[in-house]
Amino acid sequence: FGQDAEAGKRIFARCSPCHAVGPNAPNKVGPELNGLFGRKAGSVPGYAYSPANLQSGITWTEEEFTAYIKDPKGVIKGTKMSFAGVKNEQEVKDLVAFLKAFDAD
Ligand code: HEM
């Protein structure tokens, strides 16, 4: 069991109603997710974040992302991301592998 970006692509279908990744990905309901790892929370230009997200102090490492995506509202209290999360450890790893393939813009 490693990280499977192909599986992660299928899991990203749960995110894509609200998030885009890839070349010229636009902000949608949520911010675009290019170059996520290493990025500071709340830093995508032109996206109107909640105060909670802006003030979270998080930098999106794999560890921080894993905690957040399992329980978004638990990790960033007051976030406007209305999503229950991805609870399954393997699914989160696959999602990380998928997202890592997309560098900044
Ligand atoms: C924010 C990932 C599903 C709406 C975020 C952030 C991440 C993320 C990492 C923080 C971005 C940043 O700080 O720049 C994901 C992933 C998803 C998912 C991986 C699927 C597994 C969704 C869904 C929705 C959504 C389904 C809409 C129903 C939002 C919104 C924000 C956000 C509105 C901004 C939060 C705020 O400003 O408080 N998401 N998301 N996300 N997401 Fe998601």
Side-chain angles (χ1 to χ4, degrees):
F1 287 93
Q3 295 183 318
D4 182 346
E6 269 305 310
K9 182 178 181 173
R10 293 191 293 274
I11 293 156
F12 191 75
R14 300 176 205 168
C15 321
S16 55
C18 300
H19 293 282
V21 280
N24 304 312
N27 294 325
K28 298 169 70 178
V29 174
E32 52 92 353
L33 296 178
N34 288 324
L36 183 68
F37 297 102
R39 197 169 98 180
K40 285 184 67 182
S43 64
V44 172
Y47 181 78
Y49 288 95
S50 68
N53 187 296
L54 284 173
Q55 292 156 19
S56 68
I58 289 173
T59 295
W60 294 115
T61 60
E62 182 166 342
E63 195 176 15
E64 293 277 17
F65 172 78
T66 297
Y68 172 72
I69 209 61
K70 285 180 173 171
D71 182 15
K73 289 185 192 307
V75 171
I76 300 185
K77 289 177 181 48
T79 181
K80 63 174 182 172
M81 174 154 119
S82 296
F83 181 64
V86 177
K87 311 292 178 190
N88 181 280
E89 188 77 35
Q90 187 64 46
E91 290 185 343
V92 174
K93 285 183 177 167
D94 294 343
L95 200 46
V96 167
F98 173 72
L99 289 172
K100 274 188 174 167
F102 299 96
D103 294 332
D105 50 62

